Amino acid sequence: MTANEKVNILMVDDQPAKLLSYEVILAELGENLLKATTGTEALEQLLKTDIAVVLMDVSMPDLDGFELADLIRQHPRFQRTAIIFISAVYLTDLDRLKGYQRGAVDYISVPVIPELLRAKVSIFAELHRKAKQLESLNRELEQRVAERTDELERRAEALQQLNGELARKHQELDAIIRTAPDIIFSRQADGSRDYISDWFYEYTGAAMGSGKGFGWLDFVHPEDTERSMAQWMHCVQSGENYESEYRIRGRNGEYRWFRARAVPIRDFEGQIVKWYGTCSDIHDSKLLEQSIRENASELERLVDDRTAALRRLSGRLLTMQDDERRRIARELHDGLGQELAAAKMMMDGIREKNSVQANRRAAKEASETIDRAIQQVRSLSHLLHPPLLDEVGLLSAVRWYLDGLTKRSGIVTALDVQPPTFPRLGAELETAIFRIIQEALTNVYRHSGAQKAWVTLMQGDDRVAVRIRDDGKGIESPVAELRPGSIGIGIGGMSQRAKEFGGELRLTNTVPGTLVEVAVPFLNPTPEKTHALVTAR
């Protein structure tokens, strides 16, 4: 039980009016208040619920308060349950003594003082809460002690195994040193070598023992000797790990690159008592590294050129896509739309001149069919590329699209524009933002199961921000993180459109629903430039 968790307070009285008054008095405590009108009902509540305080009337027809208290105290589970008697009849000292003998913690006479009753019940409720917390802490402590005991036993067994394997490990270490392809060495605290493996002598052809002390420096390339020695003495004085690269002369007189590493061993006081290290042949990797450096600049240039080409290609593809949509929309509207309108006019003329009722009915149905076709062509044309987007601007196109979406899908939409005097943007940027909103709302309609959607357009000094939020079921974490392979063409297209203008797409689970955010850098035009832009269009 936590410090803020509510406790249960049971109020027992055969008169509902009194129970109601107790409930009003104790409501300020913020605890769970349970009511019982008989002793039997109170026992049932006690057996199925953890009760902190029992507030009961002494005089009840079924079981009086004293009898009920006896039954409660007989159960081991309720030995420490706080019982407070309230009586308007039994008010003598003998009655009070009888109540305390039944295990009561308090005996209150009527009329009840609300503040006093609240204070007493609050104290016992808090005591019950603290007792439950203490029980929980005791159980947790016992569990931790048991876990620590098990851990100590496991560590003791592991220590025995380690001691048993220590001798074998020493033998294995000696074998590794003798067969290792690297030069292995140890040094004294002053930096002089006191051990160097046989591989040093095999490689250099030097006499055994000649590499100890500072004799190994005789085989280091003259151009590397001073630098490597200075690095080594710096580490000896500072206690830092040692690492250096230098060339060592082989028995054939040729030099090869080696990388030396060493770490200090310290005593309990932190003083260095020994150094252990290795010296590895890195000559081939050194040559490869040099070759990579020589070709790195050329590779970076090729990558930059290819990235720029891909970006230009991506931009051209999106532009071609929008141009194609615009062309199809114009052809549908100016070609097929006008043809259908002409057909409707002819059918209307036939209906007016024909006197046969059946032909009139057929002509009327044909006219209505052509009306629907014209409306479908106009809707398709607007969806492919809304004329409002070119003629009036982004805000009008978005409002038109939201109205149509609400009518078609039943999803309630809202548009928030900040500031209200939202400026016209460039044609390409307005088209990109409209397509992002269109794709996001299409996903809301197809996948989210949402009832409402909100679109916000915000324009600041240096950027334009778009937010599309819904109250649907949300998206999975891989999609929100835009992991490759988890997002579809729609989200990928929105992300690419944002990147083409230096922007960024972000997806967030809002529980409920999903938040789509796009921020695109934008240089806020001056009022004169804005007016000129609108006038030109």
Side-chain angles (χ1 to χ4, degrees):
M1 173 174 286
T2 63
N4 297 323
E5 188 173 348
K6 296 180 179 180
V7 300
N8 298 312
I9 299 173
L10 178 61
M11 304 176 296
V12 187
D13 200 303
D14 61 326
Q15 299 183 25
K18 290 185 177 180
L19 289 176
L20 181 59
S21 65
Y22 298 155
E23 185 176 9
V24 172
I25 292 173
L26 300 179
E28 295 183 10
L29 298 181
E31 309 290 0
N32 294 326
L33 302 179
L34 307 177
K35 294 182 286 187
T37 57
T38 65
T40 303
E41 186 179 346
L43 288 175
E44 292 177 356
Q45 291 276 17
L46 283 164
L47 290 173
K48 67 182 181 181
T49 310
D50 181 31
I51 303 298
V53 182
V54 180
L55 186 66
M56 71 171 68
D57 186 20
V58 175
S59 179
M60 292 187 293
D62 182 12
L63 287 173
D64 65 21
F66 295 143
E67 293 172 337
L68 178 58
D70 283 337
L71 292 175
I72 291 174
R73 287 296 185 236
Q74 289 175 11
H75 198 292
R77 177 180 162 191
F78 311 128
Q79 293 292 323
R80 297 184 180 180
T81 301
I83 300 175
I84 299 177
F85 284 121
I86 298 180
S87 179
V89 179
Y90 300 97
L91 302 176
T92 67
D93 290 340
L94 291 177
D95 293 329
R96 296 177 184 276
L97 179 61
K98 188 176 180 180
Y100 289 127
Q101 289 175 344
R102 265 53 175 192
V105 298
D106 208 338
Y107 198 105
I108 300 175
S109 59
V110 177
V112 175
I113 301 174
E115 293 79 4
L116 182 61
L117 179 60
R118 277 196 300 270
K120 291 184 176 182
V121 171
S122 174
I123 290 173
F124 291 112
E126 188 63 27
L127 286 175
H128 179 81
R129 186 182 287 108
K130 295 298 184 183
K132 289 296 182 181
Q133 293 176 5
L134 183 59
E135 291 177 2
S136 177
L137 290 174
N138 286 336
R139 287 193 299 269
E140 182 179 352
L141 180 59
E142 291 175 357
Q143 178 66 24
R144 290 183 178 180
V145 170
E147 292 175 354
R148 183 60 58 86
T149 301
D150 293 340
E151 182 181 356
L152 291 176
E153 292 177 354
R154 290 193 299 270
R155 289 185 177 182
E157 293 176 359
L159 184 59
Q160 292 179 355
Q161 294 178 356
L162 289 175
N163 289 333
E165 295 178 359
L166 185 59
R168 182 173 58 85
K169 293 296 183 182
H170 279 298
Q171 295 177 354
E172 293 177 356
L173 180 60
D174 184 65
I176 290 173
I177 291 176
R178 293 180 180 275
T179 58
D182 297 336
I183 299 172
I184 299 174
F185 60 87
S186 64
R187 298 183 177 185
Q188 299 290 348
D190 61 358
S192 61
R193 291 188 179 183
D194 58 355
Y195 170 79
I196 190 167
S197 61
D198 294 345
W199 177 241
F200 173 80
Y201 300 107
E202 293 178 12
Y203 170 73
T204 60
M208 294 295 294
S210 60
K212 293 183 178 181
F214 292 95
W216 60 279
L217 287 172
D218 296 337
F219 300 90
V220 177
H221 195 285
E223 295 179 359
D224 304 332
T225 301
E226 183 177 354
R227 172 180 53 80
S228 60
M229 189 59 186
Q231 291 175 335
W232 170 240
M233 296 311 299
H234 169 76
C235 293
V236 170
Q237 296 174 3
S238 65
E240 300 174 1
N241 292 344
Y242 170 70
E243 180 172 345
S244 181
E245 296 179 0
Y246 46 79
R247 289 162 287 183
I248 299 179
R249 186 181 68 248
R251 63 172 58 245
N252 58 1
E254 296 181 356
Y255 287 91
R256 294 182 64 86
W257 280 98
F258 283 78
R259 177 183 291 120
R261 291 191 177 100
V263 295
I265 304 299
R266 302 175 184 272
D267 58 16
F268 292 107
E269 297 179 355
Q271 299 296 321
I272 297 176
V273 296
K274 200 83 167 179
W275 290 81
Y276 287 97
T278 60
C279 197
S280 307
D281 188 334
I282 60 168
H283 191 76
D284 294 336
S285 61
K286 196 80 171 178
L287 296 179
L288 178 61
E289 181 181 332
Q290 181 179 357
S291 176
I292 292 174
R293 282 199 303 268
E294 292 174 353
N295 294 304
S297 59
E298 179 65 18
L299 180 60
E300 290 178 0
R301 186 186 64 79
L302 292 175
V303 170
D304 291 340
D305 292 345
R306 181 62 57 86
T307 302
L310 289 175
R311 286 178 177 172
R312 290 193 297 270
L313 176 60
S314 176
R316 286 197 300 270
L317 288 175
L318 290 176
T319 302
M320 291 172 61
Q321 183 185 49
D322 290 330
D323 291 342
E324 182 66 13
R325 286 182 173 180
R326 186 178 289 105
R327 184 186 65 79
I328 294 173
R330 187 179 300 110
E331 290 181 358
L332 286 174
H333 185 270
D334 298 340
L336 181 58
Q338 292 183 6
E339 292 291 341
L340 290 174
K344 172 178 167 42
M345 294 173 62
M346 289 187 290
M347 293 301 296
D348 288 343
I350 293 173
R351 184 182 62 181
E352 293 174 357
K353 295 178 181 180
N354 199 329
S355 61
V356 180
Q357 188 66 23
N359 290 341
R360 286 180 176 274
R361 189 182 306 109
K364 179 181 179 182
E365 292 175 356
S367 177
E368 292 173 351
T369 300
I370 294 174
D371 275 336
R372 291 193 296 272
I374 292 173
Q375 184 60 38
Q376 291 175 3
V377 169
R378 288 175 177 170
S379 298
L380 178 60
S381 172
H382 289 181
L383 287 175
L384 285 172
H385 188 82
L388 292 174
L389 190 59
D390 293 330
E391 298 170 2
V392 184
L394 177 63
L395 292 184
S396 297
V398 171
R399 288 193 179 100
W400 166 83
Y401 182 76
L402 293 180
D403 291 341
L405 177 67
T406 299
K407 294 176 182 178
R408 293 190 301 272
S409 66
I411 298 175
V412 179
T413 59
L415 175 62
D416 181 24
V417 181
Q418 302 174 12
T421 57
F422 195 90
R424 287 296 302 269
L425 311 175
E428 294 180 355
L429 181 56
E430 285 191 340
T431 299
I433 293 176
F434 179 82
R435 294 303 180 199
I436 290 172
I437 295 174
Q438 186 181 39
E439 187 61 45
L441 291 174
T442 300
N443 287 339
V444 170
Y445 170 68
R446 291 178 178 175
H447 308 297
S448 71
Q451 300 297 320
K452 296 180 180 179
W454 299 266
V455 177
T456 303
L457 284 173
M458 296 179 291
Q459 180 261 328
D461 293 335
D462 59 349
R463 64 183 54 238
V464 174
V466 184
R467 302 180 68 193
I468 304 99
R469 184 171 63 88
D470 64 81
D471 62 350
K473 63 183 180 181
I475 55 177
E476 298 178 352
S477 296
V479 178
E481 297 170 2
L482 300 177
R483 295 181 186 174
S486 63
I487 60 175
I489 296 176
I491 295 177
M494 289 190 290
S495 177
Q496 184 60 35
R497 287 183 184 275
K499 289 180 180 179
E500 289 299 327
F501 292 89
E504 179 183 9
L505 172 71
R506 289 188 298 176
L507 304 179
T508 307
N509 262 319
T510 55
V511 187
T514 305
L515 174 62
V516 179
E517 295 178 286
V518 175
V520 179
F522 170 68
L523 181 61
N524 189 16
T526 62
E528 294 77 7
K529 291 183 178 180
T530 303
H531 176 73
L533 181 62
V534 174
T535 303
R537 294 182 178 179

